[in-house]
Amino acid sequence: MSPSTLKVVLSLIIYTFTLVNLTRAGDPDILTDFISPLTGPVDSNFFTYTGFRVLVGPQSANPPPFKVLKASLVEFPSLNGQSVSYAALQFQPKSINPPHIHPRSAELLFVVQGSLQVGLIDTTNKLFTQNLQIGDLFIFPKGLVHFQHNVDEKVPALAISAFGSANAGTISLPSTLFNTSIDNNVLALAFKTDVSTIQNLKKGFATYG
């Protein structure tokens, strides 16, 4: 990204964090300024996370089709009790972030490179889709199934997502259903198909595992 683009990204990141916090923070309030796991004194390094520097540095020659960089409670313990976290979603051409759920937070997505087709499904099974361009934002309400897809055949896409929880959680529906030990008969009945079809679907996930 160019310096000007990075400046816009940082400005909107601050805005999205503020918006998510004001509207639906998902974590309990704390009674101290911050929560430190350290036994000694805290300095500014405690409040700093450098894991996103790779986004503005040299890129891999052979990146995976889809990659997520997270700044959540696991990667950045200083977020504990702050009701905020981030994710950078990197899409190669024709790649997808499969249907999934964040059980503890809404997601506010900001497209900073390329374009994305996104969609969500509400509790009445109504599908909402949109084609997003650079500079567009899209909100995925907490707990609803949603996805992102880079339909472009040549141009990668990058999006930044803000969450109103330090640990929003992610439940990937394909992986949860077909890469766990749910009984094949249960899945066959649920999807109104046969066991052999379910077994073939599970083999595909085993290949990637």
Side-chain angles (χ1 to χ4, degrees):
M1 287 187 291
S2 65
S4 59
T5 301
L6 180 60
K7 184 177 181 180
V8 172
V9 171
L10 294 176
S11 298
L12 280 169
I13 281 173
I14 294 171
Y15 165 75
T16 56
F17 266 6
T18 303
L19 179 61
V20 171
N21 274 326
L22 289 175
T23 54
R24 58 184 316 177
D27 299 340
D29 288 336
I30 60 176
L31 301 179
T32 57
D33 294 337
F34 53 88
I35 299 174
S36 172
L38 305 177
T39 55
V42 171
D43 60 21
S44 57
N45 290 321
F46 174 74
F47 303 99
T48 305
Y49 181 69
T50 61
F52 279 15
R53 289 181 180 178
V54 295
L55 294 175
V56 294
Q59 301 299 304
S60 170
N62 296 296
F66 172 70
K67 182 178 180 180
V68 181
L69 291 176
K70 295 182 179 181
S72 67
L73 181 62
V74 173
E75 298 81 15
F76 192 10
S78 303
L79 297 181
N80 191 11
Q82 302 303 320
S83 299
V84 292
S85 60
Y86 262 170
L89 312 180
Q90 297 175 284
F91 299 82
Q92 294 306 305
K94 304 294 289 184
S95 64
I96 188 171
N97 185 8
H100 60 282
I101 296 168
H102 301 297
R104 291 182 286 276
S105 175
E107 174 183 358
L108 186 57
L109 179 140
F110 171 46
V111 180
V112 297
Q113 179 184 347
S115 60
L116 287 174
Q117 180 190 78
V118 302
L120 66 88
I121 302 171
D122 70 9
T123 55
T124 67
N125 285 333
K126 183 176 181 179
L127 173 65
F128 299 85
T129 61
Q130 187 61 272
N131 294 314
L132 304 179
Q133 306 299 319
I134 293 176
D136 291 346
L137 288 88
F138 194 88
I139 184 72
F140 302 103
K142 181 171 71 172
L144 295 187
V145 175
H146 60 281
F147 63 88
Q148 300 102 19
H149 180 202
N150 181 10
V151 300
D152 198 288
E153 297 184 354
K154 296 181 179 179
V155 180
L158 172 65
I160 305 293
S161 288
F163 299 92
S165 169
N167 185 19
T170 300
I171 301 173
S172 174
L173 299 187
S175 181
T176 298
L177 292 170
F178 299 111
N179 200 26
T180 58
S181 57
I182 298 177
D183 185 84
N184 290 341
N185 290 296
V186 171
L187 292 173
L189 289 170
F191 286 94
K192 295 179 170 55
T193 186
D194 52 68
V195 169
S196 62
T197 298
I198 298 298
Q199 290 173 332
N200 286 332
L201 288 169
K202 286 188 173 184
K203 286 179 182 177
F205 285 92
T207 300
Y208 291 106

